């Protein structure tokens, strides 16, 4: 019967555009994005902080070496002088011993 | 002899560090190009969303126009010489069917608005994630360069210390 026909029924074209697959893909992407934000990025941040911390340690070592090297150089100069003085004193003592032996005769 | 070998090894190590920093530089340059490329992708995806939005808009406009035309047709079919020939039951049926059709149109528009808005947000979030990852890469690279510079200074300092120690150590020997 013509009266039973629904003239406002526009068929499948009237329905909403099917976005089920898109919604599923979107959910998968956000799940993965959240995993990256919660697990991967903090790990990277920690690793970066560790490398920065090591840089500080190495820089402190560099500063320490910078302080120690002049001291060692000074020590080398003084040790050299002391050695020369000791050699001179030793020579003097030996000369005195020779003189003493001569006098004792 | 030992000093010559030591200097040679040190030279190789410093050269290797130089080569590695070259690779790092190229890698960062590539990453930067990829991020720039992703920005272009993001712009294209947004344009696609605009196009899809336009098509969906046309679909809904057509749907609304058809419903209007169908209403006019129904009224014409149920009017004779200016007098409505439809029974109250027929009018009621028509109104129920027409309301359902408009409700369906409203749902379709609502679903599309959500979909296109989600798509645009997804593209924006993807761009934001890429930017966040690239920022980490830059930070990591800076940290590596900083450590390399510090290690370089340490190597130079150790060489200086070794030369100073080379003078002192023989003096300490009996």
């Amino acid at each position: 019967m013509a009266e039973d026909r629904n003239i406002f029924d526009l068929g499948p074209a009237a329905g909403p555009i099917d976005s089920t697959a898109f919604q599923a893909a979107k959910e998968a992407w956000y799940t993965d994005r959240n995993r990256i934000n919660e697990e991967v990025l903090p790990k990277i941040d920690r690793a970066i902080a560790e490398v920065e911390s090591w840089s500080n340690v190495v820089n402190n070592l560099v500063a320490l070496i910078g302080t120690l090297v002049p001291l060692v150089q000074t020590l080398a100069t003084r040790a050299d002088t002391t050695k020369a003085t000791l050699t001179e004193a030793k020579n003097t003592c030996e000369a005195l011993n020779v003189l003493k032996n001569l006098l004792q005769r | 002899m030992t000093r010559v070998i030591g200097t040679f090894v040190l030279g190789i190590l410093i050269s290797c560090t130089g080569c590695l920093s070259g690779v790092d530089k190229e890698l960062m340059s590539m990453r930067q190009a990829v991020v720039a490329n992703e920005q272009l992708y993001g712009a294209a995806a947004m344009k696609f969303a605009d196009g899809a939005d336009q098509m969906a808009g046309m679909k809904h406009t057509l749907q609304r126009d058809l419903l209007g035309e169908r209403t006019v047709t129904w009224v014409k079919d149920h009017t004779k010489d200016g007098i409505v020939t439809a029974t109250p039951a027929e009018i009621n049926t028509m109104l129920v069917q027409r309301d359902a059709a408009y409700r369906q149109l409203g749902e379709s528009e609502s679903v599309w608005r959500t979909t296109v808005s989600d798509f645009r947000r997804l593209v924006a979030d993807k761009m934001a994630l890429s930017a966040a990852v690239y920022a980490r890469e830059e930070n990591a690279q800076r940290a590596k360069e900083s450590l390399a510079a510090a290690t370089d200074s340490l190597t130079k300092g150790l060489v200086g210390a070794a030369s100073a120690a080379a003078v002192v150590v023989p003096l300490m020997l009996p």
Side-chain angles (χ1 to χ4, degrees):
Chain A
M1 265 176 54
E3 289 304 318
D4 290 340
R5 196 172 68 90
N6 180 1
I7 60 165
F8 295 103
D9 182 3
L10 303 179
I17 292 165
D18 185 10
S19 65
T20 319
F22 167 70
Q23 294 299 338
K26 185 194 82 175
E27 289 306 318
W29 187 83
Y30 275 107
T31 305
D32 196 47
R33 195 276 311 257
N34 292 342
R35 184 188 63 79
I36 290 170
N37 276 345
E38 287 161 18
E39 292 174 24
V40 180
L41 294 187
K43 273 186 197 169
I44 299 286
D45 286 340
R46 278 197 294 276
I48 292 169
E50 203 171 327
V51 171
E52 281 169 350
S53 162
W54 273 110
S55 287
N56 288 336
V57 170
V58 175
N59 277 327
N60 286 335
L61 273 175
V62 170
L64 183 67
I65 288 170
T67 315
L68 283 177
V69 167
L71 285 175
V72 173
Q73 282 168 342
T74 310
L75 188 66
T77 315
R78 287 193 183 164
D80 215 15
T81 314
T82 310
K83 198 174 181 183
T85 311
L86 282 172
T87 311
E88 203 177 322
K90 197 179 165 188
N91 291 339
T92 310
C93 283
E94 278 173 7
L96 282 171
N97 273 335
V98 170
L99 190 64
K100 188 183 160 191
N101 288 338
L102 282 172
L103 285 172
Q104 278 176 348
R105 278 182 200 171
Chain B
M1 187 62 184
T2 314
R3 274 190 197 180
V4 172
I5 293 169
T7 313
F8 182 68
V9 170
L10 198 67
I12 289 174
L13 283 174
I14 291 168
S15 306
C16 286
T17 314
C19 292
L20 286 175
S21 72
V23 170
D24 281 348
K25 206 174 170 184
E26 290 307 317
L27 267 174
M28 285 311 291
S29 165
M30 185 190 74
R31 297 275 192 219
Q32 204 170 15
V34 168
V35 168
N37 179 269
E38 279 188 10
Q39 296 295 330
L40 292 175
Y41 160 80
M46 289 297 192
K47 292 290 174 199
F48 172 78
D50 290 347
D53 204 21
Q54 200 180 349
M55 283 196 290
M58 285 160 75
K59 179 243 185 208
H60 293 127
T61 304
L62 180 65
Q63 204 171 332
R64 188 171 283 105
D65 289 351
L66 278 172
L67 293 178
E69 274 180 25
R70 296 284 164 95
T71 308
V72 172
T73 305
W74 187 91
V75 171
K76 270 186 190 168
D77 289 351
H78 293 82
T79 308
K80 196 173 182 184
D81 299 328
I83 297 162
V84 176
T85 56
T87 63
E90 284 172 336
I91 294 172
N92 184 52
T93 305
M94 181 277 281
L95 288 176
V96 168
Q97 289 173 343
R98 198 186 64 166
D99 285 353
Y102 274 109
R103 221 172 12 253
Q104 199 178 18
L105 170 63
E107 272 173 34
S108 177
E109 284 175 323
S110 169
V111 167
W112 175 252
R113 267 196 302 273
T114 308
T115 304
V116 78
S117 157
D118 284 357
F119 181 79
R120 287 193 173 113
R121 194 160 55 89
L122 181 74
V123 172
D125 286 344
K126 160 72 183 138
M127 295 298 111
L129 179 68
S130 295
V133 169
Y134 181 67
R136 256 62 168 212
E137 284 174 2
E138 275 189 320
N139 288 345
Q141 187 59 28
R142 261 197 298 273
K144 272 171 71 180
E145 282 169 10
S146 166
L147 182 60
T151 312
D152 192 43
S153 299
L154 181 65
T155 311
K156 285 174 185 158
L158 284 173
V159 169
S163 62
V167 178
V168 177
V169 170
L171 292 172
M172 292 163 83
L173 295 172

